[in-house]
Amino acid sequence: MSEFDSETYLQFLLDLANLITADDLEQFKLACKDDIPEEKVPELKTPRDWFMYLEKIEKLAQDDLSYIEHVFEITRRPDLLTKIVEYRTQVLKISDDEELDSKLTRVPSAKKYKDLISKDQIEVSEDGCIKLDPPPIKKGP
């Protein structure tokens, strides 16, 4: 893997941060409860704080976005997942085929969301956010 432009990576994180609401951030922190100590959570007040902490604990790097990809998947933010797919293919130069076999791809559904958005099967709000309905409640046996 070649050297990556850290300025491009920082701009990518800034772009992601601009799409993350305060409610999203709370959901992300909750999704990371196994990796972020409870006493540390209140210190993470902005998406930038969250990203920096994830880098500090080696859960996020400019060539490894799999952790936040997983968080975005479980918190139902496919728009952010598609940003990760775009970053991997355009900046890291990982093709769709390589992506499937790569350690950098933790959530294969990210590509599915990108395909759905590109086919206008998912509505994107004016602010660029996509919120999915919660999964259906399973009925007992």
Side-chain angles (χ1 to χ4, degrees), residues 24-82:
D24 291 332
L25 183 59
E26 291 307 311
Q27 288 181 13
F28 298 164
K29 291 188 290 187
L30 184 61
C32 300
K33 66 182 178 197
D34 292 338
D35 297 305
I36 301 176
E38 198 173 319
E39 64 274 3
K40 188 72 178 168
V41 171
E43 297 175 25
L44 307 177
K45 297 178 194 255
T46 67
R48 185 173 184 262
D49 295 339
W50 182 64
F51 289 139
M52 288 174 46
Y53 185 75
L54 293 178
E55 287 178 325
K56 180 180 176 182
I57 62 170
E58 299 181 358
K59 295 290 185 183
L60 177 63
Q62 63 186 17
D63 64 344
D64 187 359
L65 306 169
S66 62
Y67 186 84
I68 62 170
E69 183 178 7
H70 176 69
V71 171
F72 296 160
E73 171 75 7
I74 63 177
T75 57
R76 306 182 68 74
R77 285 299 307 266
D79 56 321
L80 300 178
L81 286 170
T82 62

Side-chain angles (χ1 to χ4, degrees), residues 10-24:
L10 294 175
Q11 184 61 50
F12 169 70
L13 291 183
L14 180 62
D15 292 345
L16 283 180
N18 288 332
L19 297 173
I20 296 172
T21 66
D23 288 340
D24 291 332

Side-chain angles (χ1 to χ4, degrees), residues 122-137:
I122 294 178
E123 191 173 321
V124 180
S125 68
E126 288 181 16
D127 61 359
C129 293
I130 298 172
K131 295 270 185 167
L132 298 179
D133 293 331
I137 298 172

Side-chain angles (χ1 to χ4, degrees), residues 3 5 7 9 15 28 37 44 46-48 82 94 98-99 103 108-109 116 120 122 126 129 134-135 137-138 140:
E3 283 296 311
D5 180 4
E7 193 172 313
Y9 169 67
D15 292 345
F28 298 164
L44 307 177
T46 67
R48 185 173 184 262
T82 62
I94 298 172
E98 292 172 322
E99 184 177 0
K103 74 174 181 88
S109 60
L116 288 174
D120 292 327
I122 294 178
E126 288 181 16
C129 293
I137 298 172
K138 294 182 182 179

